[in-house]
């Protein structure tokens, strides 16, 4: 079957899953780009370039499934440790992807939100993130959280600093600090808990992604490098998620 607006593109065929079993929030670690390129004798950056179209396909897969929130890990607070050339590439690339894709995302009805730390992040990247946020602010079909210069611990540290400042100003009482209150100080206070934490690339770790929000996430690890990740991988992950028995510490 072909896509009505784009005959080149195959229409997505999501599995039939009852709405209750669709994850509301999917966290996606876009990992394995460097290995993908190196396996082919190419520069690591070639793998990152492939990731752009793959992310857009992942957005389409989530739209087809009815996922409400997709958080994409694009650059971590630890990724500054990489070679200077790769860091520079990733900064410029993030800026360009946002510039290239924001209208496409807007037309799909996707709201773009940035989660990450401001200091050190290139100003041009922040500008594109904020422009995408502004353009898509009223969209309601799905939220795409671009996690750029994001770290779970950094997010908690930043939240604690803001809370401490509010306490100092007398706007927050320590006895009022609850889980709900803490969540209000995170980068995206409206973000629901992560239901499905999905990491391709074969690595089985969180790498500091959405620590607070993933407390009860279902972890799915796939042996595919991100440049080879397809909508079918997203569908498979959601099918696996739908089979899991979530108890949240309780009993049946
Ligand atoms: C993920 O791919 C992209 C970023 C971390 C920005 P990697 O660059 O980590 O690729 P591998 O894991 O080295 O293969
Ligand atoms: C996680 O991947 C960060 C992103 C995908 C942006 P990394 O490749 O940086 O994580 P590690 O080093 O394998 O833990
Ligand atoms: Mg990696």
């Amino acid at each position: 079957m072909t896509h009505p607006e784009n005959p080149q593109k195959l229409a997505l065929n999501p599995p039939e899953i009852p709405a209750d079993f669709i994850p509301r929030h999917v966290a996606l670690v876009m990992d394995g780009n460097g290995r993908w390129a190196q396996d082919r004798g190419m520069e690591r950056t070639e793998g990152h370039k492939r990731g752009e179209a793959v992310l857009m396909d992942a957005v389409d897969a989530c739209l087809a499934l009815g996922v409400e929130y997709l958080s994409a890990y694009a650059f971590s607070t630890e990724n500054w440790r990489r070679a200077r050339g790769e860091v520079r590439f990733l900064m410029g690339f993030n800026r360009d992807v946002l510039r290239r894709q924001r209208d496409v995302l807007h037309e799909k009805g996707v709201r773009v939100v940035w989660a990450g730390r401001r200091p050190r992040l290139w100003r041009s990247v922040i500008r594109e993130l904020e422009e995408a946020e502004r353009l898509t602010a009223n969209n309601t079909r799905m939220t795409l959280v671009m996690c750029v210069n994001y770290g779970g611990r950094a997010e908690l540290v930043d939240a604690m600093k803001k809370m401490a400042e509010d306490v100092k100003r007398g706007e927050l009482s320590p006895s009022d600090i609850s889980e709900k209150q803490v969540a209000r100080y995170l980068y995206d206070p409206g973000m629901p808990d992560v239901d499905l934490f999905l990491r391709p690339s074969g690595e089985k770790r969180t790498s500091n992604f959405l620590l607070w929000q993933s407390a009860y996430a279902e972890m799915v690890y796939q042996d595919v490098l991100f440049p080879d990740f397809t909508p079918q991988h997203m569908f498979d992950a959601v099918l696996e998620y739908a089979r899991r028995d979530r108890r949240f510490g309780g009993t049946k």
Side-chain angles (χ1 to χ4, degrees):
M1 205 169 50
T2 52
H3 198 264
E5 298 122 67
N6 183 356
Q8 307 294 97
K9 198 166 181 171
L10 289 177
L12 292 178
N13 215 343
E16 273 180 44
I17 300 173
D20 285 358
F21 291 90
I22 298 286
R24 204 177 149 203
H25 184 181
V26 176
L28 175 63
V29 182
M30 304 190 285
D31 190 30
N33 299 347
R35 276 165 282 172
W36 181 91
Q38 282 166 332
D39 287 351
R40 286 161 181 76
M42 300 192 276
E43 294 289 328
R44 293 175 54 82
T45 49
E46 291 304 313
H48 300 317
K49 286 184 196 165
R50 286 270 304 209
E52 177 174 356
V54 176
L55 173 60
M56 290 306 121
D57 285 351
V59 167
D60 287 341
C62 286
L63 284 168
L65 285 160
V67 168
E68 245 178 80
Y69 250 79
L70 172 64
S71 294
Y73 207 4
F75 190 91
S76 77
T77 45
E78 287 68 47
N79 286 147
W80 297 103
R81 293 186 185 138
R82 295 189 177 198
R84 210 200 315 221
E86 184 170 347
V87 168
R88 287 176 66 92
F89 174 86
L90 285 166
M91 284 294 126
F93 183 64
N94 272 285
R95 175 197 62 213
D96 296 347
V97 168
L98 287 156
R99 197 175 290 161
R100 274 194 293 270
Q101 301 297 342
R102 65 172 174 235
D103 291 331
V104 179
L105 290 165
H106 185 46
E107 274 162 34
K108 292 181 202 281
V110 174
R111 180 174 74 111
V112 178
V113 168
W114 167 43
R117 192 176 246 182
R118 199 170 279 267
R120 212 168 171 187
L121 186 54
W122 282 18
R123 224 173 318 185
S124 59
V125 179
I126 296 176
R127 218 176 299 134
E128 295 303 327
L129 283 161
E130 289 180 341
E131 178 55 27
E133 283 187 332
R134 196 197 53 74
L135 175 74
T136 63
N138 297 320
N139 293 342
T140 53
R141 254 190 100 196
M142 189 177 94
T143 299
L144 171 65
V145 186
M146 290 301 299
C147 300
V148 187
N149 200 22
Y150 176 87
R153 287 187 169 185
E155 179 175 37
L156 290 170
V157 167
D158 290 350
M160 287 180 208
K161 276 189 185 153
K162 277 189 274 170
M163 285 170 75
E165 277 162 20
D166 283 355
V167 168
K168 201 165 129 194
R169 273 201 297 267
E171 284 166 21
L172 177 70
S173 155
S175 60
D176 286 340
I177 298 175
S178 60
E179 291 186 12
K180 233 185 190 148
Q181 272 292 347
V182 171
R184 285 199 191 113
Y185 285 85
L186 301 177
Y187 294 134
D188 175 11
M191 179 185 279
D193 281 351
V194 174
D195 298 304
L196 168 59
F197 188 107
L198 173 56
R199 182 165 192 167
S201 88
E203 308 298 351
K204 296 180 176 64
R205 53 176 170 261
T206 66
S207 298
N208 200 16
F209 193 35
L210 297 173
L211 297 182
W212 175 274
Q213 299 86 342
S214 296
Y216 260 102
E218 296 297 328
M219 314 302 283
V220 174
Y221 299 108
Q222 291 175 330
D223 261 320
V224 59
L225 300 173
F226 190 66
D228 289 329
F229 184 88
T230 62
Q232 191 57 50
H233 290 98
M234 182 63 78
F235 297 157
D236 290 346
V238 171
L239 276 168
E240 179 165 348
Y241 166 85
R243 285 196 297 265
R244 298 272 178 96
D245 182 16
R246 303 187 80 191
R247 290 187 295 274
F248 300 96
T251 52
K252 288 236 133 165

